[in-house]
Amino acid sequence: MQIEQELYSGKAKTVYTTADPDRLILRFRDDTSAFDGEKTAQLARKGMVNNKTNAFIMEQLEKAGIPTHFERVLSNNESLVKRLDMIPLECVVRNITAGSICRRLGVPENQDLDPPVFEFFLKNDELHDPLVNEYHIRAFGWASDEEMATMKRLTFEVNDVLKQLFMDAGILLVDYKLEFGRYHGQIVLGDEFTADGCRLWDAATRKKLDKDRFRQDMGDVVEAYEEVAERLGVELD
Ligand code: ADP
Ligand code: UDP
């Protein structure tokens, strides 16, 4: 499948159209950003590691019956996906407290959440992705009640699959963010699942193996992403 033209260039990926109106190419770049684009860097190999890790995870989710946009890997940094009408919401599930929930609610980090917590955020960098509830989503028409219910159900199904997958690799799935879109009337998981959009801690040592290493200037960011990939059995270049 050939690239036709650039549709959108985000903080970490560039999206291209193809000859098929129902298919896009995602190019995973080495660019990394945090704090709504305030902090940026180039991290060699990150695009390749994320493209391959995302492909592996999306395939696992498909096998478990979760509809995803993923079609196939095209190259080290590119994958073919279904073109979705993206819903401007981020669906977050938290199994352990970390990040914004600690700042927002004054709770300590590293507290088990059982049952897990689900949160919707509006995808809007200028507004710093504010937390929104179902009344906001309904009032402003970002998604229907049925779509919200489907996104929540699928996000929890992803939790069941991935908590186990990571635990088998000795990794705790602390929290993660998903984005969904519409495809011919169906709600489908889009975007990516990589260490850029979740928190992963070594189960024995609680060493951080995700983007917090970049946010907190801990170093060895891509090395940690590669360690996650290797432990999952993802074949890297
Ligand atoms: P951001 O937009 O947050 O800077 P990225 O750099 O990851 O993030 O850009 C990728 C963009 O592509 C995101 O806006 C995401 O919503 C969008 N996207 C991801 N998957 C699809 C898809 N299957 N169809 C259409 N758009 C998609
Ligand atoms: N997340 C993301 N993109 C965002 C916001 C959050 O991928 O724009 C991920 C983040 O990496 C973490 C989870 O969603 O795994 C929850 O993030 P949180 O609300 O704690 O925000 P943060 O502290 O990362 O700003």
Side-chain angles (χ1 to χ4, degrees):
M1 190 69 71
Q2 295 280 316
I3 281 176
E4 288 225 317
Q5 64 179 46
E6 185 177 311
L7 186 64
Y8 174 77
S9 190
K11 297 186 293 295
K13 300 192 288 304
T14 307
V15 184
Y16 300 95
T17 58
T18 67
D20 182 343
D22 269 345
R23 294 290 179 273
L24 295 174
I25 292 172
L26 293 188
R27 175 174 292 161
F28 290 74
R29 307 194 314 270
D30 287 343
D31 301 275
T32 304
S33 83
F35 313 120
D36 303 313
E38 267 174 41
K39 176 175 176 174
T40 60
Q42 282 274 317
L43 298 174
R45 287 174 66 78
K46 195 201 69 151
M48 180 275 294
V49 176
N50 277 3
N51 184 38
K52 299 204 169 164
T53 303
N54 177 63
F56 176 84
I57 301 254
M58 291 281 172
E59 278 168 1
Q60 300 298 315
L61 295 175
E62 282 283 349
K63 268 192 222 158
I66 294 157
T68 82
H69 68 160
F70 180 75
E71 291 280 309
R72 63 177 194 273
V73 165
L74 295 176
S75 69
N76 266 345
N77 288 63
E78 293 165 330
S79 286
L80 187 69
V81 299
K82 295 185 182 77
R83 181 177 188 157
L84 308 184
D85 167 24
M86 295 303 288
I87 295 173
L89 297 169
E90 300 188 336
C91 299
V92 169
V93 160
R94 302 177 188 276
N95 295 305
I96 303 175
T97 56
S100 74
I101 197 173
C102 299
R103 299 192 293 273
R104 196 177 341 112
L105 302 181
V107 294
E109 190 180 271
N110 197 2
Q111 189 175 316
D112 286 342
L113 295 168
D114 187 16
V117 168
F118 180 96
E119 294 169 336
F120 280 119
F121 293 89
L122 179 65
K123 193 172 154 66
N124 184 321
D125 280 344
E126 275 173 35
L127 301 178
H128 307 292
D129 296 346
L131 181 79
V132 291
N133 68 29
E134 301 191 15
Y135 288 84
H136 299 120
I137 295 171
R138 196 176 296 126
F140 301 112
W142 295 316
S144 70
D145 282 22
E146 195 189 340
E147 289 172 333
M148 283 190 261
T150 304
M151 289 190 283
K152 271 201 279 186
R153 176 176 57 76
L154 292 174
T155 304
F156 279 117
E157 284 178 24
V158 167
N159 202 33
D160 292 338
V161 177
L162 296 188
K163 251 192 333 189
Q164 189 62 51
L165 186 86
F166 282 111
M167 188 43 81
D168 291 344
I171 296 170
L172 293 170
L173 178 58
V174 173
D175 60 31
Y176 56 92
K177 178 269 300 181
L178 302 180
E179 293 181 29
F180 293 90
R182 305 175 183 100
Y183 185 76
H184 297 293
Q186 194 191 10
I187 293 291
V188 170
L189 177 61
D191 206 46
E192 66 180 284
F193 193 104
T194 68
D196 270 353
C198 66
R199 289 193 170 90
L200 301 169
W201 295 348
D202 179 89
T205 63
R206 304 234 161 185
K207 177 184 166 189
K208 294 184 201 294
L209 298 169
D210 56 67
K211 197 156 95 177
D212 272 348
R213 300 197 71 82
F214 174 69
R215 294 189 186 98
Q216 298 171 14
D217 294 317
M218 299 170 81
D220 291 337
V221 181
V222 179
E223 288 77 0
Y225 288 24
E226 293 199 46
E227 183 179 336
V228 170
E230 276 159 21
R231 287 211 222 169
L232 290 173
V234 178
E235 272 190 40
L236 297 179
D237 195 26

